[in-house]
Structure formats: structure tokens, C-alpha cells
């Protein structure tokens, strides 16, 4: 198998461990993450001063010569497909996509093709330098099939590691737009009685729970208060519709990022998303709150009304702060226009 040879010298005042010293001093254009470097050490691909070293804790000193033999990235088993993508930003390290509703992010047994990954393999081609030894896009976060909006995907191992670390640290800026039933309000006594919900200044709804897979339906997530994974969502009302107010256009942002988090949390608070077949619940519009034609458009909305509108992070290679925005897709814009015309 073809090998790529990387040579460099340990700089002054290195960390005492080999793995940490390599992570600090390996050339940026080598595009090797800490995880990948750890595997290369274990596989005997790293030489220090001419000797193979397989102990990540081995001590190193400034001036030591390092040689790393890296197998060239192999093609992924996933097939590229020529599917149109809306590219918001792209460079040698990453790509930001405005994903349409209806597109699955990664192939799975039920959706082996037609996914974002299939499309990216075709779009990026030889620009993928390799993630984990394979020529594949590095998926560091996902949005649901029927949710539209922004996703960042790594094109190199180093970018994948840097982005994944930011998502793990919850430092990535992520704002969503959603249309929900009802209007969350700090003066609503019902909300004050729901465990895990409270209001912050500015009428900002904060929902804090644990989330885990539902005991009886593995496709769903469930709210827990013991076990599971910590999850925090905040939301504020941007616009309300109906007389009496029956719907709210919300801005939601994540402190954590769990599967279905906004959908589950808003449903837990009694404000399920319009069009959500899984968590939307059976809440109905108040009689005569909206003209019948508009109410029918709300009831007939064919997906959860949720859009990933803002994505901000530190570029994993340059360190530059970057921020991207994506306008609402046509289906949500059209529904909002109908609601605004009668409010």
C-alpha cells in the first residue's frame, strides 16, 4: 500500500509524552489528528531518532528527528453520487452545506444512498485528504432528515479533530428557527409546573433535562431526570400568530447538541413543532384562532418546521472565527407569509 513519509524535528520545550509532542509539532499540512497520531504510534509507524517507538508515553526532547509513515487514504466503501448541493463555504479543510429537508446526512441500512455523504464524495472528489485513513467527509454533527439548514463537514483528519473538539466542548454557535404550537410565556402558570423548565430575563425559555432513547421506541428520544445525557435548550418568541395567539415563531439555541433535542424539549414544554410527526403531539389550534384556509395550511405542513439558521465556530486550522447564516427555506417562508398576512 502506498506510503506518505512525514519528517520533522521536535521543537523547544516539548510536552513530556511522545503523543502530545507529536500533536503539537506535526506539520499542519500533514492533516493528522491526535486520534490518528495515537493509532500511528500503536501501529509502529512512528520513528524517533531512527528507532520505532510504540509507547505514546515515551519521553522526547527538543531536536529529536521524527519520521511518520502514513498509508495513503483509501477510497471509502460509500459510493459518490452526483447530487446537487448548496455550498455556503468551502476551503481545503472543510465545507459548509445548507442541507435541504428530506436529505439524510449519512448512509444507513434504510437509506444506503442519496445521502449528504454520497453527494459530498462526488462533490469533493480528490480534495478529501483522508479522515481516519479513508477518503471520506468527516461528519462531526448531524441534523434530522426533515430538518433543513447548516452543517459543517471536515475534509481532512486535522479539521475533523478540531471541529469535533469544539462540538464536544459545546462552544459551537447554533441557532435554529422553529414554528411551534402555543406561545411560551413566563406568565403561563402551566409552564411553571413543568419540571426542567424555567424562564431567564428577556422571556427566554430554558429547558434543562437528560435525554436518552425511549424504552419502547428506539427511534425516539425521551426526557429523563436521572441517567441519559445532559441537554439544555433555550428559546425566545420572535413572533406570535392567531387570535387568541395559537402559534409562535421561535429562535432556539443549543447549549448541548443531542439527537432530536429541540423537538423533544419543545414537546416536553407543551409547545411541539408544527408538522412534527414524532413529537408534535395532538395539540390542536384553538377554534377560529386563524382563518380556516390558514389553519389547514398549518395542519398540512409536511415536516417539522425547524431550520438550522446560524452556525459559528473557530476554523479548526486557521483559528479564525467564522459564522454562517442560511435563510428560511421556501416552505417555511410561505407558511410564515400566510400567518403574517392574517395577523
Amino acid at each position: 500500500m502506498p506510503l506518505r513519509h512525514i519528517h520533522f524535528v521536535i521543537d523547544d520545550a516539548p510536552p513530556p509524552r511522545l503523543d502530545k509532542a507529536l500533536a503539537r509539532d506535526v506539520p499542519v499540512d500533514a492533516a493528522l489528528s491526535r486520534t490518528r497520531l495515537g493509532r500511528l504510534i500503536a501501529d509502529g509507524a512512528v520513528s524517533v531518532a531512527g528507532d520505532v517507538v510504540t509507547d505514546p508515553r515515551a519521553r522526547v526532547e527538543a531536536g529529536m528527528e521524527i519520521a511518520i509513515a502514513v498509508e495513503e487514504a483509501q477510497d471509502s466503501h460509500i459510493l459518490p453520487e452526483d447530487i446537487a448541493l448548496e455550498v455556503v463555504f468551502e476551503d481545503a479543510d472543510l465545507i459548509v452545506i445548507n442541507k435541504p429537508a428530506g436529505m439524510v446526512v449519512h448512509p444507513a441500512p434504510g437509506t444506503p444512498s442519496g445521502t449528504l455523504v454520497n453527494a459530498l464524495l462526488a462533490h469533493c472528489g480528490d480534495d478529501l485528504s483522508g479522515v481516519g485513513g479513508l477518503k471520506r467527509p468527516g461528519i462531526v454533527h448531524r441534523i434530522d432528515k426533515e430538518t433543513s439548514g447548516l452543517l459543517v463537514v471536515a475534509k481532512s483528519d486535522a479539521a475533523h479533530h478540531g471541529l469535533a473538539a469544539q462540538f464536544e466542548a459545546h462552544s459551537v454557535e447554533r441557532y435554529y428557527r422553529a414554528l411551534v404550537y402555543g406561545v411560551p410565556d413566563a406568565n403561563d402558570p402551566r409552564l411553571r409546573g413543568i419540571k426542567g423548565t424555567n424562564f431567564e430575563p428577556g422571556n427566554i425559555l430554558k429547558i434543562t433535562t437528560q435525554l436518552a432513547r425511549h424504552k419502547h421506541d428506539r427511534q425516539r428520544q425521551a426526557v429523563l431526570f436521572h441517567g441519559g445525557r445532559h441537554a439544555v435548550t433555550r428559546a425566545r418568541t420572535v413572533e406570535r400568530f392567531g387570535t387568541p395567539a395559537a402559534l409562535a415563531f421561535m429562535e432556539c439555541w443549543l447549549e448541548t447538541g443531542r439527537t432530536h433535542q429541540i423537538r423533544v424539549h419543545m414537546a416536553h414544554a407543551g409547545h411541539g413543532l408544527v408538522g412534527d410527526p414524532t413529537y408534535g403531539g395532538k395539540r390542536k389550534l384553538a377554534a377560529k384562532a386563524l382563518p380556516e384556509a390558514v389553519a389547514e395550511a398549518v395542519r398540512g405542513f409536511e415536516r417539522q418546521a425547524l431550520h438550522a439558521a446560524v452556525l459559528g465556530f473557530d476554523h479548526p486550522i486557521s483559528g479564525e472565527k467564522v459564522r454562517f447564516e442560511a435563510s428560511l427555506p421556501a416552505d417555511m417562508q410561505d407558511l410564515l407569509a400566510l400567518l403574517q398576512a392574517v395577523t
Side-chain angles (χ1 to χ4, degrees), residues 40-76:
L40 289 166
I41 294 170
D43 291 343
V46 175
S47 296
V48 180
D51 296 322
V52 172
V53 177
T54 58
D55 182 358
R57 297 167 297 180
R59 295 188 65 84
V60 294
E61 297 177 359
M64 282 184 166
E65 295 184 356
I66 305 295
I68 305 177
V70 183
E71 292 180 353
E72 292 288 3
Q74 301 301 299
D75 290 336
S76 169

Side-chain angles (χ1 to χ4, degrees), residues 228-248:
R229 304 180 73 188
H230 182 63
V232 181
T233 303
R234 288 179 173 83
R236 70 176 185 90
T237 301
V238 177
E239 207 168 349
R240 57 187 68 200
F241 305 105
T243 306
L247 298 169

Side-chain angles (χ1 to χ4, degrees), residues 122-198:
H123 174 86
C124 297
D126 291 337
D127 288 344
L128 293 172
S129 65
V131 174
L134 292 175
K135 288 184 179 179
R136 63 180 176 91
I139 304 298
V140 291
H141 69 127
R142 306 185 189 197
I143 55 179
D144 301 333
K145 175 183 177 182
E146 298 300 342
T147 299
S148 56
L150 295 172
L151 274 165
V152 59
V153 179
K155 294 170 64 177
S156 70
D157 210 36
H160 185 263
H161 177 82
L163 288 169
Q166 292 181 62
F167 277 93
E168 182 68 24
H170 309 307
S171 62
V172 178
E173 180 186 10
R174 283 174 289 173
Y175 281 82
Y176 290 72
R177 308 285 186 260
L179 187 66
V180 306
Y181 286 102
V183 181
D185 193 284
N187 295 318
D188 183 352
R190 180 194 63 82
L191 269 175
R192 291 200 296 270
I194 296 177
K195 188 174 182 180
T197 66
N198 68 288

Side-chain angles (χ1 to χ4, degrees), residues 10-15 24-25 62-63:
I10 296 296
D11 206 349
D12 292 339
R24 188 194 73 170
D25 291 346

Side-chain angles (χ1 to χ4, degrees), residues 236-260:
R236 70 176 185 90
T237 301
V238 177
E239 207 168 349
R240 57 187 68 200
F241 305 105
T243 306
L247 298 169
F249 183 51
M250 308 290 297
E251 179 178 65
C252 306
W253 59 101
L254 301 176
E255 183 173 311
T256 58
R258 310 302 184 198
T259 301
H260 300 175

Side-chain angles (χ1 to χ4, degrees), residues 11-328:
D11 206 349
D12 292 339
R17 291 171 52 122
L18 172 63
D19 54 357
K20 293 183 178 181
L22 294 188
R24 188 194 73 170
D25 291 346
V26 68
V28 172
D29 59 8
L32 296 175
S33 68
R34 289 182 177 87
T35 302
R36 185 84 188 281
L37 286 167
R39 289 200 296 266
L40 289 166
I41 294 170
D43 291 343
V46 175
S47 296
V48 180
D51 296 322
V52 172
V53 177
T54 58
D55 182 358
R57 297 167 297 180
R59 295 188 65 84
V60 294
E61 297 177 359
M64 282 184 166
E65 295 184 356
I66 305 295
I68 305 177
V70 183
E71 292 180 353
E72 292 288 3
Q74 301 301 299
D75 290 336
S76 169
H77 68 282
I78 301 171
L79 297 177
E81 296 180 39
D82 187 12
I83 301 170
L85 291 172
E86 183 180 342
V87 178
V88 177
F89 173 84
E90 182 176 11
D91 65 12
D93 303 295
L94 57 86
I95 183 169
V96 178
I97 298 293
N98 186 14
K99 185 189 83 67
M103 175 180 274
V104 173
V105 171
H106 198 282
T111 51
S113 62
T115 71
L116 178 63
V117 169
N118 295 109
L120 285 170
L121 283 169
H123 174 86
C124 297
D126 291 337
D127 288 344
L128 293 172
S129 65
V131 174
L134 292 175
K135 288 184 179 179
R136 63 180 176 91
I139 304 298
V140 291
H141 69 127
R142 306 185 189 197
I143 55 179
D144 301 333
K145 175 183 177 182
E146 298 300 342
T147 299
S148 56
L150 295 172
L151 274 165
V152 59
V153 179
K155 294 170 64 177
S156 70
D157 210 36
H160 185 263
H161 177 82
L163 288 169
Q166 292 181 62
F167 277 93
E168 182 68 24
H170 309 307
S171 62
V172 178
E173 180 186 10
R174 283 174 289 173
Y175 281 82
Y176 290 72
R177 308 285 186 260
L179 187 66
V180 306
Y181 286 102
V183 181
D185 193 284
N187 295 318
D188 183 352
R190 180 194 63 82
L191 269 175
R192 291 200 296 270
I194 296 177
K195 188 174 182 180
T197 66
N198 68 288
F199 279 86
E200 297 179 331
N203 205 33
I204 293 172
L205 173 64
K206 181 182 179 184
I207 307 169
T208 306
T209 74
Q210 307 293 112
L211 292 180
R213 286 192 183 275
H214 195 282
K215 285 183 179 180
H216 306 297
D217 185 349
R218 304 301 288 174
Q219 302 303 312
R220 292 166 57 95
Q221 296 290 308
V223 166
L224 304 174
F225 292 94
H226 300 284
R229 304 180 73 188
H230 182 63
V232 181
T233 303
R234 288 179 173 83
R236 70 176 185 90
T237 301
V238 177
E239 207 168 349
R240 57 187 68 200
F241 305 105
T243 306
L247 298 169
F249 183 51
M250 308 290 297
E251 179 178 65
C252 306
W253 59 101
L254 301 176
E255 183 173 311
T256 58
R258 310 302 184 198
T259 301
H260 300 175
Q261 180 174 317
I262 291 174
R263 298 167 62 194
V264 181
H265 268 174
M266 294 308 296
H268 172 68
H271 295 285
L273 272 63
V274 166
D276 189 337
T278 304
Y279 304 102
K282 298 180 179 180
R283 185 164 181 169
K284 297 181 179 179
L285 292 170
K288 299 183 179 179
L290 294 166
E292 182 54 31
V294 178
E296 188 60 33
V298 172
R299 289 191 289 266
F301 198 73
E302 295 184 346
R303 67 174 180 99
Q304 62 260 15
L306 183 63
H307 176 67
V310 175
L311 182 64
F313 52 90
D314 294 339
H315 192 288
I317 304 303
S318 71
E320 176 189 2
K321 289 189 179 297
V322 292
R323 189 176 192 270
F324 306 97
E325 296 190 37
S327 300
L328 286 177

